Amino acid sequence: MPGTRSSGLLALGGIALAAVLAVIGHLEVNDDLSPLSLTVSDFAVSDRGGVIDTAMAVLAAATAVLLPSLRRAGADRTSIALLAAWSAGLLAAAVVPTNEPGLPMDAAAYVHRYASVLSFLALPVAGWLLARRPGGPPARRLRGLTVASLLLAAAMIWSAYPGDRALIGLAERLLILTETALLVTVALHLVIAADVDTPARAVGNVGGAARR
């Protein structure tokens, strides 16, 4: 299915662009900010509307591109809804800023926090459900990435509360890398499945023509 292949390739391009923008955003910030102890949102708020926020919006859009093709490929509604929740939460976190590090949280910061939590939890659950579907993305890889994502999310929660934010930036960045790998796995599956499906359809069409 050409549309499915195009969606997968477009999503992979968006994911790659988001990764490049995120790296640029980290290189441009104040040297006093530590990626080990501060979250990506802490970096983003120092450059409001900059490349890190743009990277989050691009990643949300890349996920949205996958949804129609996954639906056509037979993904269940719950998986689609969870992926949509990940995309919407990521976009909300990009649009609504958190507070500056060390300042009390305001209403916008709470919106940002819970939008981020929604995203981080929705994506691995969607990956687990997609792994259950026959003919879907590689089940073992998706389950492994899902388990890793949930463990890293738990590490972030521990750090944010009883852990006094110890290494919270490291935990979050590992979580983002793992969840991005999950998205790449899904997008690659759509591309590969489309490439396999096209020759099969062509052979079937030739066979049907011969029988006629």
Side-chain angles (χ1 to χ4, degrees), residues 76 79 82-83 121-133 137-148 150 182 186:
D76 63 281
S79 300
L82 288 167
L83 286 170
L121 295 180
L123 182 57
V125 177
W128 187 269
L129 293 177
L130 288 172
R132 295 167 53 189
R133 188 175 68 82
R140 182 176 297 179
R141 188 179 307 165
L142 279 186
R143 290 194 180 103
L145 291 169
T146 294
V147 171
L150 292 175
L182 195 158
V186 174

Side-chain angles (χ1 to χ4, degrees), residues 20-127:
V20 171
L21 291 173
V23 171
I24 292 172
H26 278 71
L27 294 176
E28 288 185 345
V29 298
N30 191 313
D31 291 340
D32 293 336
L33 300 181
S34 168
L36 298 180
S37 58
L38 295 175
T39 66
V40 172
S41 297
D42 293 332
F43 274 60
V45 78
S46 68
D47 181 27
R48 196 62 221 140
V51 289
I52 292 180
D53 290 327
T54 303
M56 294 166 66
V58 169
L59 190 57
T63 305
V65 165
L66 294 173
L67 301 184
S69 293
L70 285 171
R71 186 62 181 158
R72 288 195 300 270
D76 63 281
R77 291 182 179 179
T78 304
S79 300
I80 299 297
L82 288 167
L83 286 170
W86 147 268
S87 183
L90 198 60
L91 184 59
V95 172
V96 181
T98 187
N99 54 287
E100 294 279 353
L103 296 180
M105 291 186 67
D106 56 15
Y110 278 109
V111 170
H112 179 95
R113 170 182 286 183
Y114 291 113
S116 300
V117 170
L118 171 66
S119 293
F120 284 141
L121 295 180
L123 182 57
V125 177

